[in-house]
Amino acid sequence: MTAEQINDKIELCESAMDLILSEGSFTIAQLSEATGKTASQIYSLFPNKKAITEYYYPSLVIRYSAMIGEIEDFESYTISEKLSNFIFTTFDMMEDRREFVEDTFEKMVFKKGCNSEFHQEMTALFKHFFTTDGRIAVSAGFVMKDYFYEFIAREYLDIVKFWLNDDSDGKERSFALTDKLTGFVEEVVYNKVIDKGFDLAKYLISHAGLAKNIPLFGEWITSWFNDNEEENKDE
């Protein structure tokens, strides 16, 4: 799909949101009048009205991805800062359509889990965040598989649901939860302790069998190193 088609889809979706919030619903004729696009043009991008409304959620990620280029030094952000920025920005975006989000988030996104387009777009964005961050510990690569990014995306959905029901002043509990979760994720993937252990294992084993001279620990470290070497070969 071209960038122009994506922009057209977002425009149609946003116009549909305006009509829903002002009129309670919309027709293709109303959408055509609001956007200047013919019915055939609309149907070339969306198969039906339901698809137009459901596109609101993945469009949040697409719009956010476009915003990244406008954020100065975004690539220098830590993984916690990138995740928090995404979460807080989408909070603001959804607040503008809060009534629609409250009515549809559960059925259009939350219950679908990994099967929603929104979840898939988020998973791809989060994967980009992690795989382009040079501060990620080498050992974190053992857990940073597709299921890891899907898990982070699922946690985000839980945060949105929490945010929708948060009655604290200024949604402070939602912001605190976000800070704690993103901080924890950063601690896990930036922690170099296991990396250092792996380096120690390589040193002990490569220097004339030094590991064998360390009772118990030496046996364990040799076994651990050999197991990880085999896993790396298999991959």
Side-chain angles (χ1 to χ4, degrees), residues 11-36 42 49 52-53 96-97 99-100:
E11 180 189 357
L12 286 166
C13 181
E14 286 296 296
S15 296
M17 293 300 103
D18 290 336
L19 288 167
I20 289 172
L21 294 176
S22 62
E23 307 294 333
S25 63
F26 71 94
T27 65
I28 296 299
Q30 288 175 315
L31 196 56
S32 177
E33 182 179 356
T35 62
I42 295 172
K49 288 169 54 179
I52 297 174
T53 55
D96 291 339
R97 311 289 190 190
E99 184 179 342
F100 173 79

Short mmCIF file of all heavy atoms in Angstrom, two decimals, residues 11-36 42 49 52-53 96-97 99-100:
data_model
loop_
_atom_site.label_atom_id
_atom_site.label_comp_id
_atom_site.label_asym_id
_atom_site.label_seq_id
_atom_site.Cartn_x
_atom_site.Cartn_y
_atom_site.Cartn_z
N GLU A 11 -7.47 9.65 6.71
CA GLU A 11 -8.41 10.77 6.55
C GLU A 11 -9.86 10.28 6.62
O GLU A 11 -10.70 10.89 7.30
CB GLU A 11 -8.16 11.47 5.22
CG GLU A 11 -9.11 12.65 4.98
CD GLU A 11 -9.03 13.24 3.57
OE1 GLU A 11 -8.18 12.75 2.78
OE2 GLU A 11 -9.84 14.14 3.26
N LEU A 12 -10.15 9.19 5.95
CA LEU A 12 -11.51 8.64 5.96
C LEU A 12 -11.89 8.19 7.37
O LEU A 12 -13.01 8.43 7.82
CB LEU A 12 -11.59 7.46 4.99
CG LEU A 12 -11.60 7.81 3.51
CD1 LEU A 12 -11.34 6.57 2.66
CD2 LEU A 12 -12.94 8.44 3.11
N CYS A 13 -10.96 7.55 8.04
CA CYS A 13 -11.22 7.07 9.39
C CYS A 13 -11.48 8.24 10.35
O CYS A 13 -12.43 8.20 11.15
CB CYS A 13 -10.02 6.25 9.88
SG CYS A 13 -10.23 5.58 11.53
N GLU A 14 -10.67 9.27 10.26
CA GLU A 14 -10.84 10.43 11.13
C GLU A 14 -12.18 11.13 10.86
O GLU A 14 -12.87 11.55 11.81
CB GLU A 14 -9.69 11.42 10.92
CG GLU A 14 -8.37 10.97 11.53
CD GLU A 14 -8.47 10.88 13.04
OE1 GLU A 14 -8.67 11.91 13.70
OE2 GLU A 14 -8.36 9.76 13.57
N SER A 15 -12.56 11.23 9.61
CA SER A 15 -13.85 11.83 9.27
C SER A 15 -15.00 10.98 9.79
O SER A 15 -16.02 11.50 10.27
CB SER A 15 -13.98 12.01 7.75
OG SER A 15 -13.02 12.92 7.26
N ALA A 16 -14.84 9.67 9.70
CA ALA A 16 -15.86 8.76 10.23
C ALA A 16 -16.00 8.93 11.74
O ALA A 16 -17.11 8.92 12.28
CB ALA A 16 -15.50 7.32 9.89
N MET A 17 -14.86 9.11 12.42
CA MET A 17 -14.89 9.33 13.87
C MET A 17 -15.66 10.61 14.21
O MET A 17 -16.47 10.65 15.14
CB MET A 17 -13.46 9.45 14.43
CG MET A 17 -12.63 8.19 14.37
SD MET A 17 -13.33 6.80 15.27
CE MET A 17 -13.99 5.84 13.89
N ASP A 18 -15.41 11.66 13.44
CA ASP A 18 -16.11 12.93 13.67
C ASP A 18 -17.61 12.76 13.51
O ASP A 18 -18.40 13.28 14.32
CB ASP A 18 -15.61 14.00 12.68
CG ASP A 18 -14.18 14.45 12.96
OD1 ASP A 18 -13.74 14.30 14.12
OD2 ASP A 18 -13.51 14.93 12.02
N LEU A 19 -18.01 12.02 12.50
CA LEU A 19 -19.44 11.79 12.25
C LEU A 19 -20.06 10.92 13.35
O LEU A 19 -21.17 11.18 13.81
CB LEU A 19 -19.64 11.13 10.89
CG LEU A 19 -19.40 12.02 9.67
CD1 LEU A 19 -19.31 11.19 8.40
CD2 LEU A 19 -20.53 13.06 9.54
N ILE A 20 -19.33 9.92 13.79
CA ILE A 20 -19.84 9.05 14.85
C ILE A 20 -20.06 9.85 16.13
O ILE A 20 -21.09 9.71 16.81
CB ILE A 20 -18.87 7.87 15.10
CG1 ILE A 20 -18.92 6.90 13.92
CG2 ILE A 20 -19.20 7.15 16.41
CD1 ILE A 20 -17.86 5.80 13.98
N LEU A 21 -19.08 10.68 16.47
CA LEU A 21 -19.16 11.43 17.72
C LEU A 21 -20.20 12.55 17.67
O LEU A 21 -20.76 12.94 18.69
CB LEU A 21 -17.78 12.01 18.08
CG LEU A 21 -16.72 10.95 18.43
CD1 LEU A 21 -15.37 11.60 18.67
CD2 LEU A 21 -17.14 10.15 19.66
N SER A 22 -20.47 13.06 16.47
CA SER A 22 -21.46 14.14 16.35
C SER A 22 -22.85 13.64 16.00
O SER A 22 -23.86 14.19 16.46
CB SER A 22 -21.01 15.15 15.28
OG SER A 22 -20.91 14.54 14.00
N GLU A 23 -22.92 12.57 15.19
CA GLU A 23 -24.21 12.08 14.72
C GLU A 23 -24.60 10.72 15.31
O GLU A 23 -25.74 10.28 15.19
CB GLU A 23 -24.19 11.96 13.19
CG GLU A 23 -23.78 13.22 12.45
CD GLU A 23 -24.79 14.35 12.61
OE1 GLU A 23 -25.98 14.04 12.84
OE2 GLU A 23 -24.39 15.52 12.52
N GLY A 24 -23.64 10.03 15.90
CA GLY A 24 -23.91 8.70 16.44
C GLY A 24 -23.59 7.58 15.47
O GLY A 24 -23.44 6.43 15.88
N SER A 25 -23.50 7.88 14.20
CA SER A 25 -23.17 6.90 13.16
C SER A 25 -22.80 7.66 11.88
O SER A 25 -22.78 8.90 11.88
CB SER A 25 -24.35 5.96 12.89
OG SER A 25 -25.46 6.69 12.40
N PHE A 26 -22.55 6.94 10.80
CA PHE A 26 -22.24 7.61 9.53
C PHE A 26 -22.66 6.71 8.38
O PHE A 26 -22.78 5.49 8.52
CB PHE A 26 -20.75 7.94 9.44
CG PHE A 26 -19.85 6.75 9.24
CD1 PHE A 26 -19.46 6.35 7.97
CD2 PHE A 26 -19.40 6.00 10.33
CE1 PHE A 26 -18.63 5.26 7.78
CE2 PHE A 26 -18.57 4.91 10.16
CZ PHE A 26 -18.19 4.53 8.88
N THR A 27 -22.87 7.34 7.25
CA THR A 27 -23.14 6.60 6.02
C THR A 27 -21.99 6.87 5.05
O THR A 27 -21.22 7.83 5.22
CB THR A 27 -24.45 7.05 5.37
OG1 THR A 27 -24.31 8.44 4.96
CG2 THR A 27 -25.62 6.93 6.35
N ILE A 28 -21.87 6.03 4.04
CA ILE A 28 -20.84 6.24 3.03
C ILE A 28 -21.07 7.56 2.31
O ILE A 28 -20.13 8.28 1.96
CB ILE A 28 -20.80 5.07 2.03
CG1 ILE A 28 -20.40 3.77 2.75
CG2 ILE A 28 -19.84 5.36 0.89
CD1 ILE A 28 -19.02 3.80 3.38
N ALA A 29 -22.34 7.90 2.11
CA ALA A 29 -22.68 9.17 1.45
C ALA A 29 -22.18 10.35 2.28
O ALA A 29 -21.62 11.31 1.73
CB ALA A 29 -24.18 9.26 1.24
N GLN A 30 -22.39 10.30 3.58
CA GLN A 30 -21.92 11.37 4.47
C GLN A 30 -20.39 11.45 4.45
O GLN A 30 -19.81 12.54 4.43
CB GLN A 30 -22.39 11.12 5.90
CG GLN A 30 -23.88 11.34 6.12
CD GLN A 30 -24.30 10.95 7.54
OE1 GLN A 30 -23.91 9.91 8.05
NE2 GLN A 30 -25.11 11.80 8.16
N LEU A 31 -19.76 10.29 4.46
CA LEU A 31 -18.31 10.25 4.45
C LEU A 31 -17.76 10.79 3.13
O LEU A 31 -16.75 11.51 3.11
CB LEU A 31 -17.84 8.81 4.66
CG LEU A 31 -16.38 8.60 5.06
CD1 LEU A 31 -16.03 9.39 6.32
CD2 LEU A 31 -16.10 7.12 5.26
N SER A 32 -18.45 10.49 2.06
CA SER A 32 -18.06 10.98 0.74
C SER A 32 -18.16 12.50 0.69
O SER A 32 -17.26 13.18 0.19
CB SER A 32 -18.95 10.35 -0.33
OG SER A 32 -18.63 10.86 -1.61
N GLU A 33 -19.24 13.03 1.25
CA GLU A 33 -19.43 14.48 1.27
C GLU A 33 -18.39 15.16 2.15
O GLU A 33 -17.87 16.23 1.80
CB GLU A 33 -20.83 14.81 1.79
CG GLU A 33 -21.14 16.30 1.80
CD GLU A 33 -22.54 16.60 2.30
OE1 GLU A 33 -23.31 15.64 2.56
OE2 GLU A 33 -22.88 17.79 2.42
N ALA A 34 -18.04 14.53 3.27
CA ALA A 34 -17.09 15.13 4.21
C ALA A 34 -15.66 15.13 3.69
O ALA A 34 -14.88 16.04 3.99
CB ALA A 34 -17.15 14.38 5.55
N THR A 35 -15.32 14.13 2.89
CA THR A 35 -13.93 14.00 2.44
C THR A 35 -13.71 14.36 0.98
O THR A 35 -12.56 14.54 0.55
CB THR A 35 -13.44 12.55 2.65
OG1 THR A 35 -14.25 11.66 1.86
CG2 THR A 35 -13.52 12.16 4.11
N GLY A 36 -14.80 14.43 0.22
CA GLY A 36 -14.65 14.71 -1.21
C GLY A 36 -14.27 13.50 -2.02
O GLY A 36 -13.97 13.62 -3.21
N ILE A 42 -13.77 5.13 -1.75
CA ILE A 42 -13.82 4.67 -0.36
C ILE A 42 -13.79 3.15 -0.31
O ILE A 42 -13.03 2.54 0.45
CB ILE A 42 -15.08 5.20 0.35
CG1 ILE A 42 -15.02 6.74 0.46
CG2 ILE A 42 -15.24 4.57 1.74
CD1 ILE A 42 -16.29 7.38 0.97
N LYS A 49 -18.14 -0.44 6.21
CA LYS A 49 -18.09 0.60 7.24
C LYS A 49 -17.37 0.11 8.50
O LYS A 49 -16.65 0.87 9.15
CB LYS A 49 -19.51 1.05 7.61
CG LYS A 49 -20.18 1.90 6.54
CD LYS A 49 -21.66 2.09 6.82
CE LYS A 49 -21.92 2.66 8.20
NZ LYS A 49 -23.36 2.88 8.46
N ILE A 52 -13.75 0.56 8.37
CA ILE A 52 -13.34 1.96 8.51
C ILE A 52 -13.19 2.31 9.99
O ILE A 52 -12.19 2.91 10.41
CB ILE A 52 -14.36 2.92 7.85
CG1 ILE A 52 -14.41 2.66 6.34
CG2 ILE A 52 -13.99 4.38 8.12
CD1 ILE A 52 -15.50 3.45 5.62
N THR A 53 -14.17 1.92 10.79
CA THR A 53 -14.11 2.24 12.22
C THR A 53 -12.99 1.44 12.92
O THR A 53 -12.30 1.98 13.79
CB THR A 53 -15.45 1.97 12.91
OG1 THR A 53 -15.84 0.61 12.68
CG2 THR A 53 -16.52 2.88 12.38
N ASP A 96 -8.92 12.27 22.69
CA ASP A 96 -9.68 13.09 21.73
C ASP A 96 -10.90 12.33 21.20
O ASP A 96 -11.86 12.96 20.75
CB ASP A 96 -8.79 13.48 20.53
CG ASP A 96 -7.70 14.47 20.92
OD1 ASP A 96 -7.86 15.14 21.95
OD2 ASP A 96 -6.68 14.55 20.19
N ARG A 97 -10.86 11.00 21.23
CA ARG A 97 -11.98 10.17 20.77
C ARG A 97 -12.46 9.26 21.90
O ARG A 97 -12.86 8.13 21.67
CB ARG A 97 -11.54 9.30 19.58
CG ARG A 97 -10.81 10.04 18.49
CD ARG A 97 -11.72 10.94 17.71
NE ARG A 97 -11.08 11.47 16.52
CZ ARG A 97 -11.60 12.43 15.78
NH1 ARG A 97 -12.77 12.95 16.11
NH2 ARG A 97 -10.98 12.86 14.71
N GLU A 99 -14.99 8.81 23.86
CA GLU A 99 -16.30 8.17 23.84
C GLU A 99 -16.29 6.95 22.92
O GLU A 99 -16.80 5.88 23.26
CB GLU A 99 -17.37 9.16 23.39
CG GLU A 99 -18.78 8.60 23.45
CD GLU A 99 -19.83 9.61 23.03
OE1 GLU A 99 -19.53 10.83 23.01
OE2 GLU A 99 -20.95 9.18 22.71
N PHE A 100 -15.68 7.11 21.76
CA PHE A 100 -15.57 6.00 20.81
C PHE A 100 -14.71 4.89 21.38
O PHE A 100 -15.06 3.71 21.29
CB PHE A 100 -14.98 6.50 19.49
CG PHE A 100 -14.67 5.41 18.51
CD1 PHE A 100 -15.68 4.84 17.74
CD2 PHE A 100 -13.37 4.92 18.36
CE1 PHE A 100 -15.40 3.81 16.84
CE2 PHE A 100 -13.08 3.90 17.47
CZ PHE A 100 -14.10 3.34 16.71
#
